[in-house]
Amino acid sequence: MAELLDLVGIFVFALSGALMGVRKRLDVVGMAVLAEITALGGGIVRDLVLNVRPTAFQSVGYVVVPLVATVVVFFFHPHVARVMPAILVFDAAGLGLFCAVGTAKALEYGLSPLHATLLGVTTAVGGGMLRDMLAGEIPTLLYDRQLYALPALLGSATLAGLSVAGVYGWPATLAAALLAFGLRFAAMRLNWRAPLARGLGE
């Protein structure tokens, strides 16, 4: 079940990467590269920091699913773009799942709660940051006006805090994932924005 949820999150993240390729007028190879890096980049960075073999290189599905997403976008990108608001709901769910799973894995490997929190956020947003850099964009992480990294941070911090309190396992992971998802979903629906520096207009 956990791997299935992982693959769903990977597929949704890969869609956003492939769509970025369409917007940048890249060919199918460029689209596939952006899809793969968006979907897998954060997890690969996490595992390299933990000095373990990346999960993406232990299962064929983790590599194939982004390729499937690329094919879908290649042929049907106008339709995918139209249903993007619905896809963003799944993207928010993937964000919550990845930040919680990334934090949990970091804690399992003995990282402190603070470092586990940072690595959980990296798992959730690292792929998008790498995608933006490859596409020649300023990473959205640096101007998080739509509250993307912040929900991941709060979700990761919640899981780390629960571990300090002695709460472990899937209930803690689920609670952290739901918190991050709920905050991201609320930000999308209510148009929440992070503040700019004092004196700067909207």
Side-chain angles (χ1 to χ4, degrees), residues 82-104:
R82 270 201 300 273
V83 299
M84 200 60 194
I87 291 174
L88 286 175
V89 176
F90 291 99
D91 181 83
L95 179 80
L97 175 68
F98 281 20
C99 77
V101 170
T103 305

Side-chain angles (χ1 to χ4, degrees), residues 3-69:
E3 184 173 349
L4 176 60
L5 291 174
D6 243 2
L7 292 175
V8 171
I10 285 171
F11 181 78
V12 174
F13 281 7
L15 287 178
S16 71
L19 281 172
M20 173 71 81
V22 172
R23 289 196 294 272
K24 290 293 183 177
R25 301 185 63 83
L26 303 182
D27 61 21
V28 67
V29 176
M31 290 172 59
V33 169
L34 290 185
E36 294 281 356
I37 202 69
T38 306
L40 306 177
I44 290 174
V45 171
R46 175 202 64 208
D47 291 342
L48 290 177
V49 170
L50 295 176
N51 198 29
V52 297
R53 186 170 65 172
T55 305
F57 294 101
Q58 299 182 44
S59 170
V60 173
Y62 282 78
V63 178
V64 171
V65 166
L67 295 179
V68 172

